[in-house]
Amino acid sequence: MIFKSINPFTQTVIAEHEVLTNTQLNQKLELAESAFKNWRTTSFQERADKMRKLANIFRTKKEELGLLITNEMGKILSEGIGEVEKSAGNCEFYAENAEKMLKDEHYDTPFKSMSVYDPMGAVFAIMPWNYPFWQVLRYAAPAIMAGNVTLLKHAPNVIGCAKAIENAFLEAGFPEGVFQQITIDIPQVESVVASDIVCGITLTGSEMAGSSVAALAGKHIKKSVLELGGSDAFIVLNDANLEKAATVATQSRMLNAGQACICAKRFIVTEKVADEFSALFAQKVNALNQGNPLQNGINMGPLARMDLAEKLSLQLKKSLTQGAKILVGGERDNCNFQPTLIDFVNSNNIAFQEETFGPLATIIRAKDESDAIVIANNHRYGLASAIWTEDRENAYRLARKIEAGNVFVNSLVRSDSRIPFGGIKKSGYGRELSAIGIREFMNMKSIIIE
């Protein structure tokens, strides 16, 4: 079987990648097992030295790697380069902090007692195409700094990125088997999950994929961390700075052509300022230029695949038949989808109920701030959200009421190496990043000495 990498803008095949045979896959698993036995015994200093070299390789090759990202999944070149730089920063963060995060914890007892953190084996990762470097380094840097090894099943359309990451690990001096990308098809996933060397599974992807992987993990009694869909609420209250809110709203919805779990998708605005905000929002969305992601002056590239563009078109059409009104955009040419804004969406509308993975923003009008919170929580997803108000004390009070893994006030929702990241409800479970993230695939072993 062959996976094809297709440039989303030109629709040309840029590479083909052959799927591993079962024999080849077993050899990869055996290599991971052998590598773990040695890697787990290395010092934090040795791991950190290699991780810093990896960061340096990413920075040195950021233009080349950013172009690879653009060609494989379509984001504009500056965003691709920025993603590589952010990945390098995460490597440096864990090189600097992993040892402190995993130090022994001592307890106040009459006898000597402590907890220690032991690496467990190979982390099997199933990663998406929308951030083909950041999503990988977000889990891999902490897992490997902790003494684990990893096997990466990347999305079929970004295998070139997966191979480039593996090559960078080898160039940085990591032993073979510490980081391996495995080009496998879905029927081969269970054999990886079932392998004794695999200690757990981390997946970023759709709700359906997460449900399937969680079932497999449960069947084989393996730890899993899931970061799934999102329909993030962006709440605009009466006292918000509407100009700034509209500017960030545009960025939050249209970044990466709207293809991110943490893109704001439901813009919940109180009635008093809804007309003014929607006008400002429409003006800013209308000013965006969608097109060739390698061309200067382009703000947004194509969607990554034709099926994604077709699905978004269907969601838009149905939303309009259900009472939504289009303010800006709405046209599509193959994978090139115009930045689009619709208003007068309600909780019965498909654009509210489903995750819209692309440049489609929806405005929902709330009676007041209490109604806004009810609307925000009235969803099966709970990844992240934002509140816009000049009253910081009230913002904190409201943030405590929102059902989500992350709440940002007067700011763009984003992931940060220093802060735990993850969701609740159908957005998944577990956390990435920070000290919490590095401990997800560790054995927290208690030792008691009388």
Side-chain angles (χ1 to χ4, degrees), residues 37 68 88 104 110 182 198 214 235 239 249 257 263 294 329 332 350 365 397 412-413 421 441 444:
K37 290 177 182 178
L68 175 61
D104 297 350
I182 51 175
V198 171
I235 300 170
D239 64 343
C263 277
L294 297 176
R332 177 177 75 90
I350 192 171
R365 297 177 178 234
R397 182 180 62 82
L412 178 74
V413 172
F421 181 83
F441 296 105
M444 186 179 182

Side-chain angles (χ1 to χ4, degrees), residues 164-441:
I165 295 169
E166 182 177 32
N167 290 336
F169 268 94
L170 293 172
E171 185 180 344
F174 287 90
E176 286 191 40
V178 171
F179 181 101
Q180 295 184 84
Q181 77 84 23
I182 51 175
T183 306
I184 62 174
D185 199 12
I186 292 173
Q188 296 170 295
V189 167
E190 182 166 6
S191 64
V192 180
V193 175
S195 171
D196 288 340
I197 183 58
V198 171
C199 66
I201 306 94
T202 180
L203 176 141
T204 297
S206 68
E207 181 182 341
M208 182 171 66
S211 177
S212 298
V213 166
L216 278 179
K219 176 181 177 181
H220 295 283
I221 316 178
K222 302 290 177 75
K223 173 74 176 288
S224 60
V225 171
L226 305 179
E227 198 256 273
L228 308 178
S231 188
D232 290 2
F234 187 106
I235 300 170
V236 182
L237 301 181
N238 291 342
D239 64 343
N241 181 330
L242 297 183
E243 175 66 31
K244 185 178 179 182
T247 297
V248 176
T250 305
Q251 182 185 7
S252 183
R253 175 66 274 204
M254 303 302 170
L255 188 69
N256 199 32
Q259 300 169 115
C261 296
I262 58 171
C263 277
K265 299 180 178 75
R266 295 179 298 140
F267 295 85
I268 303 167
V269 190
T270 50
E271 286 180 341
K272 185 177 179 180
V273 296
D275 287 342
E276 185 178 356
F277 176 80
S278 64
L280 287 167
F281 198 1
Q283 182 183 46
K284 295 178 187 300
V285 171
N286 196 47
L288 296 174
N289 294 316
Q290 189 279 329
N292 187 339
L294 297 176
Q295 184 179 323
N296 290 333
I298 294 298
N299 311 107
M300 192 180 81
L303 295 182
R305 298 196 313 261
M306 193 72 75
D307 61 308
L308 299 170
E310 290 169 351
K311 179 179 179 180
L312 190 64
S313 289
L314 290 174
Q315 288 174 314
L316 173 60
K317 289 176 182 177
K318 189 167 183 180
S319 297
L320 296 177
T321 65
Q322 294 173 324
K325 305 296 182 184
I326 196 162
L327 301 182
V328 176
E331 299 298 320
R332 177 177 75 90
D333 178 17
N334 291 324
C335 287
N336 300 293
F337 201 108
Q338 281 186 337
T340 302
L341 175 63
I342 58 177
D343 199 350
F344 301 103
V345 172
N346 59 45
S347 60
N348 296 317
N349 195 291
I350 192 171
F352 183 101
Q353 295 175 343
E354 295 184 1
E355 181 178 27
T356 52
F357 215 67
L360 172 60
T362 64
I363 294 177
I364 302 107
R365 297 177 178 234
K367 296 175 184 177
D368 50 33
E369 67 176 38
S370 296
D371 188 36
I373 298 299
V374 170
I375 293 170
N377 290 339
N378 182 27
H379 208 283
R380 70 179 186 276
Y381 292 134
L383 188 56
S385 60
I387 300 173
W388 286 80
T389 173
E390 294 296 282
D391 187 339
R392 292 169 61 89
E393 185 175 333
N394 188 42
Y396 174 75
R397 182 180 62 82
L398 295 175
R400 295 296 299 262
K401 295 182 177 182
I402 291 179
E403 298 167 359
N406 303 265
V407 182
F408 285 69
V409 176
N410 297 335
S411 176
L412 178 74
V413 172
R414 60 198 181 278
S415 53
D416 185 307
S417 298
R418 299 164 293 184
I419 304 170
F421 181 83
I424 60 171
K425 299 182 178 179
K426 300 298 184 182
S427 289
Y429 51 75
R431 292 294 180 267
E432 294 180 294
L433 302 176
S434 77
I436 304 297
I438 199 173
R439 294 171 184 166
E440 285 282 12
F441 296 105

Side-chain angles (χ1 to χ4, degrees), residues 13-34:
V13 177
I14 58 177
E16 294 184 346
H17 306 280
E18 191 169 348
V19 171
L20 295 175
T21 65
N22 290 335
T23 298
Q24 290 170 324
L25 176 57
N26 287 333
Q27 290 171 346
K28 296 279 189 181
L29 291 166
E30 290 170 4
L31 180 57
E33 185 172 23
S34 175

Side-chain angles (χ1 to χ4, degrees), residues 3-5 17 72-73 125-132 136 152-163 181-184 204 304-305:
F3 288 146
K4 293 183 179 181
S5 180
H17 306 280
E72 285 207 307
M73 59 73 58
I126 302 173
M127 290 291 112
W129 46 264
N130 57 337
Y131 287 92
V136 173
L152 166 67
K153 180 198 178 302
H154 221 326
N157 58 326
V158 290
I159 300 297
C161 289
K163 290 181 176 179
Q181 77 84 23
I182 51 175
T183 306
I184 62 174
T204 297
R305 298 196 313 261

Side-chain angles (χ1 to χ4, degrees), residues 35-48 50 119 144-149 173-175 178:
F36 175 63
K37 290 177 182 178
N38 294 318
W39 184 248
R40 68 178 302 171
T41 67
T42 57
S43 68
F44 281 105
Q45 185 60 55
E46 181 179 345
R47 298 173 202 165
K50 289 178 172 56
I144 289 171
M145 275 302 304
N148 292 308
V149 299
F174 287 90
V178 171

